[in-house]
Amino acid sequence: MAATQVQGAGARPTIGLAAGGTGGHLFPAEALARELQRRGHDVVIYTERRGAQYARALEGIPHVVLPARSLAGGVVGKLAAAFTIARATVQARRDMKRRGVALLAGFGGYPSFAPAVAAKSLKLPLLLHEQATRVSMANRRLLAYADALATSFASVAGADGIDPARITETGNPVRAEILAARGAYPGLSADAPIDLLVVGGSQSARVFGEVVPPALLALPVELRTRVRLALQYKGDDADAIAARLRDAGIAADVRPFFDDMGARLRAAHLVIARAGATTAADLLTVGRPAIFVPIPHGGSRDEQRRNAETLAEAGVGWCVPEGELTAEALAKLLSGLFASTIKLPQAAAVAASMGRPQAAANLADLVERMLPR
């Protein structure tokens, strides 16, 4: 049975939002939900069990937890997924009717599929938002039924299934703490500390814990002792890694999760991260350069490679495939960046120029234009 939080009906229409269970899907939905609430709308977010674990993101936002299952797998897996989607569609449809939902905005991820089907069965307008540089698999399957597509970038591959006149570039909405972190790039002189932030997304990234510490230890001593490291790492050897770094003169803060990402981004001179669309939006909004290490998977996750290559070509940072991420290669790249007082500030300026801090407002404007009169 779906876990539900109910908000009473308001004078303005209720707007539904559907998002997958990762932060990359849920955080943009949260940003739009809070902007719509600020404008006086009732909202509800439809997600799955993983998404519901982001209690801080969902605080104060009515939400419904639906059953979800990926379509990946053989015949048996696909049949099981079809049954799960049908069950979730029935639950979502019932909830939408009870709340009087007038429009659904989908943010991708397979858990968003059932709410979208439910919305169309009720003849509600369907708005899809694409965070990446290529339309995701879930959104691609829904394009034929969508009334509009909002994109994060001016050029998005895979949007052939919808009339170009119904595509609007809004940017990718970011959380309030990220907006609050916007500001000038921190000073970087020849002998000043260098703040390095290493994060692996909502699932963390073990490879960063394995490669970044030895790369830093291999730096020339005059660079190594300037580094102040914040490393997101969930391994059992986290304390040992931190101790080894501190013994080498590196100020190291190693934790499984950072709940103050806005403040850490604001302080960072350089970020090492995956290349998910929400991570990219956060970096561009705050204006910070990055070394992007895309998740090394094909298929739908190939979007991270495309994101990383697009941003690297624009001058926001550097793309390093995980297969090429060795301690030696990373140490060489970091040495060149840290020894220069120009390269990182230049990349930061490019990042800031590409940021879209008004993305949530832009998307909310589009939602209000699509509401039935």
Side-chain angles (χ1 to χ4, degrees), residues 3 15-19 26 29-31 33-34 43-47 57-58 61-65 99:
I15 298 166
L17 299 89
L26 190 69
E30 177 209 350
R34 297 199 187 281
V43 300
V44 58
I45 290 180
Y46 298 96
T47 187
L58 291 171
I61 301 176
H63 58 279
V64 177
V65 181
R99 294 176 188 271

Side-chain angles (χ1 to χ4, degrees), residues 73-160:
V75 174
V76 174
K78 285 181 169 54
L79 287 174
F83 176 78
T84 300
I85 291 171
R87 186 158 56 95
T89 299
V90 170
Q91 292 180 15
R93 191 178 192 276
R94 184 184 304 124
D95 188 80
M96 289 176 187
K97 290 180 68 175
R98 181 172 63 84
R99 294 176 188 271
V101 171
L103 174 148
L104 184 81
F107 286 82
Y110 61 84
S112 71
F113 196 82
V117 173
K120 293 313 294 182
S121 75
L122 294 170
K123 296 182 169 52
L124 303 182
L126 174 62
L127 166 64
L128 300 180
H129 181 272
E130 181 52 58
Q131 297 96 57
T133 55
R134 181 178 183 83
V135 178
S136 67
M137 183 177 296
N139 279 347
R140 196 157 58 244
R141 292 175 182 270
L142 293 168
L143 273 182
Y145 310 101
D147 297 279
L149 173 67
T151 65
S152 300
F153 298 93
S155 177
V156 176
D160 304 334

